[in-house]
Amino acid sequence: MRDWLTKADMLLLLFVTGLVVWLYVAIWGADTAALEVEIWSRGERVQTLPLAEDRLLSVAGVLGDSHIEIKHAEARFVDSPCSNKLCVLHGALRHAGETTACLPNQVSLRILGRDPRYDAINF
Amino acid sequence: MELSTTREDHLIAWLTALAVAIHLIEAALPSPLPGVKPGLANVITIVVLMRFGWRTAAWVSLLRVLVSGLLLGTFLSPTFALSLGGALCSVAILWLALQLGRGGFGPVGYSVLAALAHMTGQFGIAYTLFIPHPGLLHLLPVLLTLALLFGTTSGILARSMLKGFDNA
């Protein structure tokens, strides 16, 4: 063992392993708790609702009413007057920063957390 | 006009050729994740560092990136930028380790440092220049874990090589 690793090598390996473990905790354990859902329609924010209260609501869009469900701190499209139902198929949103939209009806959802996170940055 | 070459020049050329060969063979291997390669050419850098010092190792490492880039057709492409950034970072950390470690590190130590610095440098460039998305950060611990494993492996290989020289 001494032949393979010097004392400095061993210290380094210990330190680096610790650093990597810490990075896992720091980056993957970051607070992404979802608190609220923002509902947008035709380019305007219609309402912001807490995810803690379960409810069903309909939001008027360009084509008609989109039905949105908030349940177990998740938000999802239940139904929308579009043809392909991509918004419904997207499923439930549960992490801060997640979004989904029904483009034909121009209704979208956005989950907010404690810190606003960017969904994209361009230069 | 004749260019006079020193013994060191020839040494650097030979060692670079060896590193380039390893780099090219490795480039032909498919990789499950972009940017993740065992980095076996790193073995040469470490062996050169232990045998001939930092100066030669830095030359070999940077020339390897340049020549491999030209041969693979990635010269001045994003791949090349990542490769060069990684190599610069690892050469820099090796210099630092030599200054601060006072010869305390062995091949495994240097190799791990170089691999981690290479990965961090690449990641930094990928993040700032190409994909500045916070989601990319989630990959960092995974990539560094792989760098740690590959760095250790390369270090063990470098040690075996150095041992082979001693016995020869």
Side-chain angles (χ1 to χ4, degrees), chain A residues 13 19 23 29-30 82 95 98 102 119:
Chain A
L13 281 177
L19 189 77
L23 270 178
C82 49
H95 301 293
E98 282 186 321
C102 177
D119 52 26

Side-chain angles (χ1 to χ4, degrees), chain A residues 3-9 12-13 16-17 19-20 23-24 27-28 30 32 117-123, chain B residues 104-109 112-113 116 128 132-134 137-138 140-142 144-145 148 152 156 159-160 163:
Chain A
D3 198 28
W4 285 90
L5 294 170
T6 66
K7 209 171 264 176
D9 286 348
L12 176 78
L13 281 177
V16 165
T17 310
L19 189 77
V20 170
L23 270 178
Y24 273 105
I27 292 179
W28 286 14
T32 56
R117 297 185 110 211
Y118 305 107
D119 52 26
I121 302 169
N122 270 293
F123 296 104
Chain B
F105 292 117
V108 177
V112 165
L113 278 172
L116 288 175
T128 48
H133 189 289
L137 278 177
H138 290 263
L140 185 62
V142 183
L144 285 179
T145 307
L148 182 57
T152 310
I156 291 169
R159 201 211 78 110
S160 306
K163 201 89 183 164

Side-chain angles (χ1 to χ4, degrees), chain A:
Chain A
M1 197 64 181
R2 168 135 326 153
D3 198 28
W4 285 90
L5 294 170
T6 66
K7 209 171 264 176
D9 286 348
M10 279 188 248
L11 279 174
L12 176 78
L13 281 177
L14 273 177
F15 173 75
V16 165
T17 310
L19 189 77
V20 170
V21 170
W22 177 79
L23 270 178
Y24 273 105
V25 175
I27 292 179
W28 286 14
D31 187 22
T32 56
L35 296 176
E36 293 178 313
V37 56
E38 240 178 30
I39 300 166
W40 292 65
S41 175
R42 286 169 284 191
E44 281 170 33
R45 188 167 56 210
V46 184
Q47 42 189 337
T48 307
L49 297 167
L51 283 170
E53 293 166 34
D54 293 358
R55 69 169 86 196
L56 263 168
L57 65 153
S58 36
V59 177
V62 179
L63 302 176
D65 284 358
S66 287
H67 298 278
I68 293 157
E69 181 191 54
I70 301 174
K71 198 176 171 187
H72 306 314
E74 297 178 350
R76 68 187 183 97
F77 276 96
V78 183
D79 192 29
S80 201
C82 49
S83 56
N84 53 18
K85 309 287 182 209
L86 282 176
C87 51
V88 179
L89 293 171
H90 188 130
L93 309 179
R94 57 182 72 91
H95 301 293
E98 282 186 321
T99 59
T100 188
C102 177
L103 292 184
N105 203 25
Q106 294 185 24
V107 172
S108 67
L109 304 181
R110 191 158 97 103
I111 305 287
L112 303 179
R114 197 164 302 140
D115 305 312
R117 297 185 110 211
Y118 305 107
D119 52 26
I121 302 169
N122 270 293
F123 296 104

Side-chain angles (χ1 to χ4, degrees), chain B residues 53-103:
Chain B
W54 181 81
R55 227 178 86 94
T56 315
W59 269 113
V60 168
S61 178
L62 296 175
L63 278 175
R64 184 202 87 219
V65 170
L66 177 71
V67 176
S68 304
L70 287 171
L71 289 175
L72 290 170
T74 57
F75 183 56
L76 295 184
S77 72
T79 317
F80 181 78
L82 292 173
S83 199
L84 184 63
L88 283 172
C89 276
S90 61
V91 163
I93 198 95
L94 287 177
W95 181 82
L96 210 65
L98 281 170
Q99 302 300 310
L100 300 178
R102 296 183 185 283

